[in-house]
Amino acid sequence: MTVKEMIFCCILLGNAAVSVLYLVFGLLHVKRSERRDAAERKRAEAAQEERRTEEKPKSAQEETGSKEKPKSAQEERRTEEKPKNAQEEIAEGEEAQDDEELPMKDGRFVYVMKFIVMLLCPLAGPIFFGAGYLLFRFIFRQDVHLEDVIFSKERVRTNERADEERERNIAPLEEAIAVSDKESLRSLMLNVIRGDVHNSLAAISLALNSPDSETSHYAASVLQDELNDFRGNVQKVWREIEKEEEDQTDCEYYLIPYMNNMLEQKVFTEMEQKNMVKKFAEVGEVLYRKASYRFTSQYYEWICLRLLDIKDFEMMEMWCSRAAAQYPEELSSYTCRLKLYFTAQEKEKFFETLDALKQSSIVIDRETLALIRTFS
């Protein structure tokens, strides 16, 4: 025999020895676990029998007491429910024990399969299973923390039935104001008011001109409450911004999307809308000064569009140039400039930006594609 053949034979013999030892110790471990589970089961059964024997004299005493004093209806129900609960607890305990036994019953099959794999794959099989065990044992295994876990049987998941009549009668508020009668319009307005009205203020403002006084009153009260909350929140957060350090930007990140969601609905008066948009631009300026690298293209687009609403072209052009410098490959950097130059009627800059967009590799949307086709 050559040296290689001798080494190969030694590897096979060593692999077979390791596989047999693994199988033997695994089966012994399974048998030991089954014995331990059987002993625990016997102890549980003995404890249950002791409880039953202790409950028998108590029930006899209750029977003698029942002859002297009649029981009320509630007490009779409680006595009827007690044995049922005890039986349920016993059944649940037996089911839990059966569930714990299942892995041990399947343990023999697992060890036999691993033994076969280790025999068919010499050296690779033992290394694979050994490395997996060590990784699980020392790296991936973590202790389970159950401090915040609450085990309660009282929690019940209830499924509320859909209100089919309400869902069937839902219609856009704009159409309801135009064609619906007073009763339908009032019910629709009440359904809108009960939900989240933050994104529906523009539609609710249309109901202010409704001929129905009650509907207009609903709309006015909702708008007044929402606008007052918005004004108060903006002032409160702006005071926090003035107190912030140079490296703090949490208030700005909260206020920019919050103000944009309200300002894009255009529910303020013309003068107040201008003042709010200027305040919105000031918040953006503070964030740009503190952390311009964290200023997203979405923020640039929001500020530009709100400035376009009040036709502040000079301020909007400054923000458009900032967006183009920081995000030259974003579609919003081009569309904001196109809207600016089109509204300001600057034809040369408009067509220059349009040609630059055509030559770029930016993926455009349908609106921008229609714009290119119109002016090409």
Side-chain angles (χ1 to χ4, degrees):
M1 289 180 69
T2 60
V3 178
K4 293 183 179 180
E5 291 177 350
M6 292 176 63
I7 294 173
F8 183 72
C9 291
C10 292
I11 291 173
L12 290 179
L13 292 173
N15 180 75
V18 171
S19 302
V20 171
L21 291 174
Y22 178 79
L23 178 62
V24 171
F25 283 108
L27 296 178
L28 291 174
H29 173 69
V30 172
K31 183 177 286 188
R32 193 182 307 110
S33 301
E34 290 177 350
R35 290 177 181 173
R36 185 175 62 251
D37 294 341
E40 291 178 356
R41 196 183 308 112
K42 289 181 180 179
R43 292 195 204 98
E45 291 175 356
Q48 290 176 1
E49 290 179 358
E50 290 178 359
R51 290 176 185 173
R52 291 173 185 173
T53 54
E54 290 176 357
E55 289 175 357
K56 284 182 180 179
K58 291 182 181 179
S59 60
Q61 292 176 3
E62 289 176 356
E63 289 177 358
T64 55
S66 61
K67 295 178 181 179
E68 297 174 358
K69 184 179 180 181
K71 292 184 179 180
S72 63
Q74 294 181 354
E75 291 178 352
E76 289 178 357
R77 291 176 185 173
R78 291 174 184 171
T79 54
E80 290 176 357
E81 290 176 355
K82 282 182 180 179
K84 293 181 181 178
N85 294 335
Q87 292 176 0
E88 291 177 357
E89 289 178 357
I90 295 169
E92 290 176 358
E94 291 177 354
E95 290 179 357
Q97 290 176 359
D98 293 339
D99 293 339
E100 292 177 357
E101 290 175 9
L102 287 177
M104 288 296 100
K105 289 180 180 178
D106 296 337
R108 291 189 178 86
F109 178 74
V110 172
Y111 281 109
V112 171
M113 290 300 297
K114 289 182 178 180
F115 169 72
I116 295 172
V117 172
M118 292 168 69
L119 282 180
L120 297 177
C121 301
L123 193 63
I127 292 175
F128 174 76
F129 290 120
Y133 175 78
L134 293 175
L135 289 174
F136 172 76
R137 185 74 177 177
F138 297 105
I139 297 177
F140 296 106
R141 186 176 180 180
Q142 296 179 356
D143 295 332
V144 180
H145 300 284
L146 300 177
E147 291 85 357
D148 299 331
V149 180
I150 300 174
F151 298 95
S152 176
K153 297 180 181 179
E154 297 177 357
R155 287 186 285 179
V156 179
R157 183 176 180 180
T158 57
N159 296 322
E160 295 183 357
R161 188 176 180 181
D163 191 352
E164 297 180 0
E165 184 177 357
R166 176 185 173 187
E167 297 292 336
R168 195 184 301 114
N169 295 328
I170 285 179
L173 190 58
E174 296 86 347
E175 298 178 6
I177 293 172
V179 300
S180 295
D181 55 351
K182 293 182 179 180
E183 293 182 0
S184 301
L185 181 58
R186 290 174 183 176
S187 62
L188 178 61
M189 179 61 68
L190 289 175
N191 291 335
V192 173
I193 292 172
R194 289 171 187 168
D196 188 7
V197 298
H198 291 88
N199 299 323
S200 305
L201 296 177
I204 294 174
S205 63
L206 298 176
L208 293 173
N209 300 323
S210 175
D212 184 20
S213 60
E214 189 170 350
T215 302
S216 60
H217 173 70
Y218 290 159
S221 60
V222 171
L223 284 174
Q224 184 178 4
D225 293 340
E226 292 296 325
L227 294 182
N228 288 336
D229 291 341
F230 175 78
R231 296 186 188 101
N233 290 334
V234 170
Q235 292 178 359
K236 181 179 178 181
V237 178
W238 179 254
R239 288 194 293 268
E240 294 295 329
I241 290 175
E242 292 177 345
K243 297 177 183 178
E244 280 184 340
E245 301 294 336
E246 287 298 323
D247 57 344
Q248 296 177 345
T249 56
D250 294 338
C251 293
E252 290 86 342
Y253 277 113
Y254 165 77
L255 199 57
I256 288 176
Y258 176 71
M259 293 187 70
N260 179 75
N261 186 32
M262 181 66 74
L263 293 175
E264 67 180 354
Q265 300 184 62
K266 301 176 183 178
V267 292
F268 293 100
T269 60
E270 184 178 357
M271 182 62 67
E272 190 173 8
Q273 180 79 10
K274 289 183 179 179
N275 294 332
M276 283 294 177
V277 171
K278 290 180 180 178
K279 178 68 70 175
F280 182 48
E282 290 180 10
V283 176
E285 186 68 32
V286 173
L287 180 60
Y288 184 83
R289 176 175 53 82
K290 289 183 178 180
S292 60
Y293 61 92
R294 299 180 64 182
F295 213 95
T296 63
S297 61
Q298 184 69 65
Y299 289 175
Y300 283 118
E301 185 178 9
W302 287 344
I303 294 174
C304 291
L305 293 179
R306 301 294 77 78
L307 291 171
L308 182 64
D309 293 337
I310 64 174
K311 296 183 179 180
D312 192 347
F313 300 138
E314 184 178 357
M315 184 69 68
M316 182 180 175
E317 189 172 8
M318 181 190 71
W319 282 103
C320 287
S321 61
R322 289 178 176 178
Q326 189 169 354
Y327 298 100
E329 300 299 326
E330 289 288 337
L331 179 62
S332 59
S333 301
Y334 289 91
T335 55
C336 290
R337 284 182 289 169
L338 289 173
K339 293 176 182 178
L340 168 64
Y341 299 142
F342 180 81
T343 308
Q345 297 183 355
E346 297 183 11
K347 296 182 180 179
E348 295 182 359
K349 293 182 178 180
F350 176 82
F351 285 108
E352 288 178 1
T353 307
L354 190 63
D355 293 336
L357 179 59
K358 290 179 183 178
Q359 296 174 2
S360 65
S361 59
I362 299 174
V363 179
I364 59 177
D365 54 10
R366 292 183 179 180
E367 182 183 358
T368 309
L369 181 60
L371 182 67
I372 293 174
R373 289 175 178 174
T374 303
F375 292 97
S376 296

